[in-house]
Amino acid sequence: MWNANSQLRLCSSILRQRIKQQQQEFLIGTSIRRSFTTTEGSRPTIIHKRSIDILHDPWFNKGTAFSMTERDRLDLRGLLPPNVMSSQQQIERFMADLKRLEEQARDGPNDPYALAKWRILNRLHDRNETMYYKVLIDNIAEYAPIVYTPTVGLVCQNYSGLFRRPRGMYFSAQDRGEMMSMVYNWPAEQVDMIVVTDGSRILGLGDLGVQGIGISIGKLDLYVAAAGINPQRVLPVMIDVGTNNEKLLKDPLYLGLQQNRLEGEEYISIIDEFMEAVFTRWPHVIVQFEDFQTKWAFKLLQRYRNTYRMFNDDVQGTAGVAIAGLLGAVRAQGKPMTEFPKQKIVVAGAGSAGIGVLNAARQTMSRMSGNNEASFESSRSQFWVVDANGLIAEDRPNIDPDALPFARTVKELGPLGLQSGSSLVDVVRQVKPDVLLGLSAVGGLFSTEVLEALKGSTSSRPAIFAMSNPTKNAECTPDEAFAVLGGDIIFASGSPFKDVDLGDGRIGHCNQGNNMYLFPGIGLGTLLSGSRIVSDGMLQAAAECLAAYITEKEVLNGTIFPCVSSIRDITKQVAAAVVKEAIEEDLAEGYRDMDARELQKLSQEEILTYVQNNMWSPQYPTMVYKKD
Ligand SMILES: NC(=O)C1=CN([C@@H]2O[C@H](COP(=O)(O)OP(=O)(O)OC[C@H]3O[C@@H](n4cnc5c(N)ncnc54)[C@H](O)[C@@H]3O)[C@@H](O)[C@H]2O)C=CC1
Ligand SMILES: CC(=O)C(=O)O
Ligand SMILES: [Mg+2]
């Protein structure tokens, strides 16, 4: 339960973890405890191929970094230029090429260059995975916007043209009855993480059909870079049930099924078949549902969450990140987090993301203020929800059942001069909210008029969350927000923006409020705990860990989310919090040689070491050839 003590407990435990972590980094390689000393990636790699086949396999290829003895041992001599490069030299050569593009891009339009960078990185991904992830991890702040939002959106939009080598698996409506055998076509014996999409709502770009595979690939890049999931054990998946995108339906070069989306039972039976197939081959896999349109996101989550190791990133990951940000916004006002239940929050957007955030925020408020039926009921009145048809009130016909709990009563609205369907600007003007949160996918929705209305906020430091992706869908830019409201606000956006120079020596901080701060840790923590499900408690633990990661000083300076360059560290902490919660809930069944009983005995610090030691990092392994 949330109270001042739990807040303190969290902050001090994070501090303790950081100190321990430094000690542990020193200790790795020495014998801490048999059961969690094997560092991921330190074992030699057994390969069953030789010669040119190795160079064409991105999982094993080291390119010019193969030593002369390896070249002899693996029949590679003469197939590479003679100069053996270190992995660092390889990266320098690659980066010099990539940077040339940046020099040209400095004054040019942004998008084509971002796409060109993606192509260059993707080609590296195709030929040498180890080097690709080394480049990504070492330069995550620079390249997350290329492999992830915003450029990944552009990549999905242009995927038919960009497609060269296949990556991941495609299950289509034509594969009904075949999936159980098809799944064995994937070459890896073990898969830890699947990210699956049906392409129906890719970021805020709508239905992109089969081209949505790009988002599964981008999310899994972060799983490898941030969570240290072994790249040989990730699987991007696209389930192609058709598309309702008229442009794609008419495009002769479109790569997917050119039919309207299947609906109802036909649709569900395909997703069911896919789930059964992947969990039959890999019983311990974790499946992240990504960018399913709202009408299926909730239904599929309810259908599978108690049976399979799965979660929906847009509903649950986003909710956790928003909670962490909302608590940060309370602290940024100089108040304790426990004041959160008093915040007035206007949410624009009642889709999978908006409703996910609303449910989680309401539960968090309720937990903080009594954790009973009465507190749950009363916390409802802190939210005003506006969608494409304006303010949601109970007298709206055919109200979406997921939004119904947040519909305002006509009685409540009367004194404010509001009614069902009132515009966002009127709602903001009358409610005077502490927080204005956008998950609407409508770029520019927080217009100058809306931001002007927020000047009436009763908060000393109103918060604006323009969380829609990609960049052009952000409800407003930080420049717009700071220009209208001045420096005393908190700003977060789903896609990255630059900080704003406020002109008086101060900087307006632009936080990136994106589920990337949670999903990799949720996945890794679930994997390492061996929990059969992803429980609400595990998700809550992840959100609390993220909330506590930011120091008091940072929060007061307007920082409510960590910087992207610390994503690997925050992911490790989140994963450890998830493992700990799974142990406490008695869900942890163990992973590899760490069984449930061993897990139960670990201290908090030991859990962190266990997580760290199981994170893959991009180092070339020693290779040993064995005949099949
Ligand atoms: N920052 C992050 O981590 C995340 C951001 N998102 C973003 O959230 C956005 C929405 O995602 P979903 O909820 O799945 O989409 P959705 O399409 O299901 O929902 C959009 C909602 O916005 C409402 N809307 C449309 N026009 C509006 C207007 N003029 N005023 C107010 N509301 C309006 C719609 O009625 C609907 O309720 C996307 O852009 C997505 O990229 C989603 C997940 C995570
Ligand atoms: C970030 C994310 O998951 C989305 O925009 O859908
Ligand atoms: Mg998403």
Side-chain angles (χ1 to χ4, degrees):
M1 193 204 303
W2 278 93
N3 53 32
N5 280 344
S6 70
Q7 184 186 338
L8 263 176
R9 184 165 46 82
L10 266 172
C11 294
S12 61
S13 89
I14 289 283
L15 265 180
R16 264 188 286 123
Q17 282 174 10
R18 282 197 189 144
I19 294 164
K20 282 282 169 193
Q21 176 202 334
Q22 284 166 5
Q23 293 168 345
Q24 280 150 7
E25 271 158 10
F26 174 75
L27 277 171
I28 288 174
T30 68
S31 177
I32 309 168
R33 196 169 161 165
R34 184 200 58 77
S35 51
F36 56 103
T37 45
T38 316
T39 307
E40 177 73 13
S42 65
R43 302 182 184 94
T45 295
I46 309 290
I47 46 169
H48 304 287
K49 38 179 91 169
R50 302 180 78 88
S51 194
I52 198 92
D53 290 343
I54 299 176
L55 301 183
H56 288 166
D57 187 332
W59 284 358
F60 301 117
N61 185 24
K62 301 183 191 179
T64 52
F66 278 111
S67 67
M68 287 318 273
T69 50
E70 271 178 325
R71 291 179 194 203
D72 279 339
R73 225 170 49 226
L74 302 170
D75 294 345
L76 290 168
R77 189 176 276 262
L79 299 182
L80 292 159
N83 194 1
V84 175
M85 298 268 168
S86 68
S87 59
Q88 193 48 40
Q89 284 174 310
Q90 283 185 306
I91 285 169
E92 278 165 24
R93 199 158 49 86
F94 174 81
M95 293 301 276
D97 196 31
L98 195 56
K99 291 284 170 193
R100 262 196 289 279
L101 194 69
E102 247 153 63
E103 279 156 30
Q104 290 167 29
R106 204 151 286 157
D107 301 307
N110 222 6
D111 282 0
Y113 288 102
L115 259 190
K117 282 189 207 172
W118 180 87
R119 276 179 206 262
I120 291 179
L121 286 165
N122 187 51
R123 282 205 293 267
L124 178 60
H125 199 178
D126 282 343
R127 61 177 187 272
N128 182 336
E129 288 218 330
T130 313
M131 187 171 154
Y132 171 72
Y133 285 111
K134 177 116 181 85
V135 168
L136 190 56
I137 291 170
D138 290 351
N139 304 279
I140 189 74
E142 203 173 345
Y143 296 130
I146 303 293
V147 302
Y148 188 52
T149 185
T151 308
V152 74
L154 204 59
V155 169
C156 290
Q157 287 174 310
N158 294 283
Y159 207 73
S160 290
L162 291 168
F163 180 84
R164 292 290 179 276
R165 282 205 196 185
R167 180 176 300 287
M169 284 195 82
Y170 299 83
F171 295 85
S172 90
Q174 290 173 346
D175 299 319
R176 270 174 281 194
E178 300 294 330
M179 293 184 200
M180 195 59 91
S181 56
M182 273 170 78
V183 76
Y184 287 88
N185 290 345
W186 185 248
E189 281 306 315
Q190 194 180 335
V191 170
D192 292 338
M193 262 329 296
I194 288 176
V195 175
V196 60
T197 185
D198 69 354
S200 55
R201 190 284 279 151
I202 299 299
L203 303 176
L205 302 169
D207 182 347
L208 296 183
V210 78
Q211 304 183 169
I213 182 102
I215 197 69
S216 299
I217 294 170
K219 292 269 174 182
L220 283 166
D221 270 348
L222 291 191
Y223 265 109
V224 177
I229 301 287
N230 187 323
Q232 294 188 16
R233 297 205 290 259
V234 302
L235 171 55
V237 171
M238 163 70 213
I239 300 185
D240 187 353
V241 294
T243 177
N244 294 341
N245 180 325
E246 287 303 321
K247 213 171 132 209
L248 298 179
L249 284 171
K250 287 186 198 131
D251 180 355
L253 301 180
Y254 175 59
L255 293 166
L257 289 188
Q258 283 185 306
Q259 62 180 50
N260 279 313
R261 283 184 177 277
L262 295 182
E263 294 292 344
E265 282 307 312
E266 269 192 305
Y267 174 83
I268 291 182
S269 70
I270 285 179
I271 315 288
D272 278 354
E273 189 181 336
F274 159 76
M275 291 296 270
E276 216 186 313
V278 293
F279 279 94
T280 300
R281 179 160 186 207
W282 301 293
H284 299 292
V285 72
I286 298 156
V287 179
Q288 170 168 323
F289 277 59
E290 191 67 46
D291 290 3
F292 281 70
Q293 58 185 319
T294 295
K295 75 173 181 186
W296 287 117
F298 288 106
K299 283 199 183 80
L300 296 176
L301 182 60
Q302 290 318 322
R303 189 172 179 85
Y304 302 129
R305 72 169 304 194
N306 296 320
T307 333
Y308 291 121
R309 288 221 287 191
M310 60 81 65
F311 67 101
N312 182 300
D313 180 39
D314 299 291
V315 177
Q316 297 166 299
T318 313
V321 164
I323 295 297
L326 290 167
L327 294 174
V330 178
R331 290 165 71 200
Q333 293 167 33
K335 297 177 183 166
M337 286 194 224
T338 45
E339 293 276 300
F340 179 53
K342 295 185 191 147
Q343 298 280 291
K344 290 176 289 176
I345 302 176
V346 170
V347 175
S352 67
I355 295 290
V357 170
L358 283 158
N359 283 328
R362 183 178 181 185
Q363 268 157 20
T364 306
M365 282 186 181
S366 168
R367 262 196 300 274
M368 285 178 168
S369 48
N371 204 20
N372 51 38
E373 238 173 75
S375 66
F376 185 70
E377 189 43 44
S378 69
S379 54
R380 189 189 67 87
S381 62
Q382 299 308 114
F383 304 97
W384 283 262
V385 187
V386 178
D387 72 359
N389 299 315
L391 180 64
I392 300 184
E394 278 177 348
D395 57 342
R396 178 191 282 196
N398 301 325
I399 197 160
D400 176 356
D402 293 316
L404 187 60
F406 299 96
R408 307 298 302 210
T409 62
V410 175
K411 206 168 122 204
E412 283 170 324
L413 296 179
L416 290 169
L418 295 171
Q419 58 197 3
S420 178
S422 283
S423 68
L424 180 63
V425 66
D426 285 342
V427 173
V428 173
R429 204 171 279 136
Q430 296 307 319
V431 172
K432 307 183 193 314
D434 300 275
V435 179
L436 175 58
L437 189 150
L439 282 162
S440 65
V442 180
L445 181 66
F446 298 167
S447 60
T448 307
E449 205 188 358
V450 171
L451 294 173
E452 286 284 348
L454 193 59
K455 280 183 175 169
S457 164
T458 45
S459 168
S460 58
R461 202 172 186 185
I464 299 155
F465 290 78
M467 290 182 76
S468 291
N469 297 314
T471 313
K472 72 179 177 55
N473 290 56
E475 283 78 6
C476 69
T477 67
D479 288 276
E480 289 161 352
F482 285 105
V484 174
L485 288 147
D488 288 331
I489 57 167
I490 294 296
F491 184 88
S493 55
S495 294
F497 282 93
K498 289 200 173 75
D499 287 345
V500 178
D501 183 350
L502 298 176
D504 54 2
R506 288 191 303 159
I507 296 293
H509 192 69
C510 179
N511 296 276
Q512 190 173 359
N514 192 292
N515 51 29
M516 69 183 178
Y517 286 119
L518 283 189
F519 72 76
I522 294 170
L524 179 63
T526 305
L527 177 77
L528 298 183
S529 69
S531 173
R532 288 260 144 214
I533 57 160
V534 182
S535 72
D536 279 339
M538 287 156 71
L539 295 163
Q540 178 74 20
E544 287 177 9
C545 177
L546 180 60
Y549 193 80
I550 306 294
T551 64
E552 212 56 39
K553 192 172 162 218
E554 287 168 327
V555 161
L556 292 173
N557 279 335
T559 300
I560 54 167
F561 290 113
C563 57
V564 179
S565 48
S566 59
I567 195 165
R568 209 166 154 99
D569 184 55
I570 179 66
T571 298
K572 183 173 60 185
Q573 311 276 354
V574 168
V578 170
V579 171
K580 186 164 178 287
E581 180 63 25
I583 295 169
E584 275 166 20
E585 288 183 35
D586 217 10
L587 290 168
E589 294 184 9
Y591 173 74
R592 293 188 174 174
D593 55 353
M594 176 67 81
D595 65 22
R597 294 226 328 258
E598 286 278 312
L599 267 178
Q600 293 276 1
K601 287 186 221 152
L602 298 184
S603 66
Q604 185 148 332
E605 288 74 21
E606 287 171 331
I607 292 175
L608 205 62
T609 309
Y610 165 62
V611 170
Q612 174 155 313
N613 287 354
N614 278 287
M615 287 169 77
W616 176 88
S617 51
Q619 282 145 11
Y620 289 135
T622 304
M623 284 188 192
V624 178
Y625 171 74
K626 269 205 176 153
K627 260 192 164 160
D628 269 336

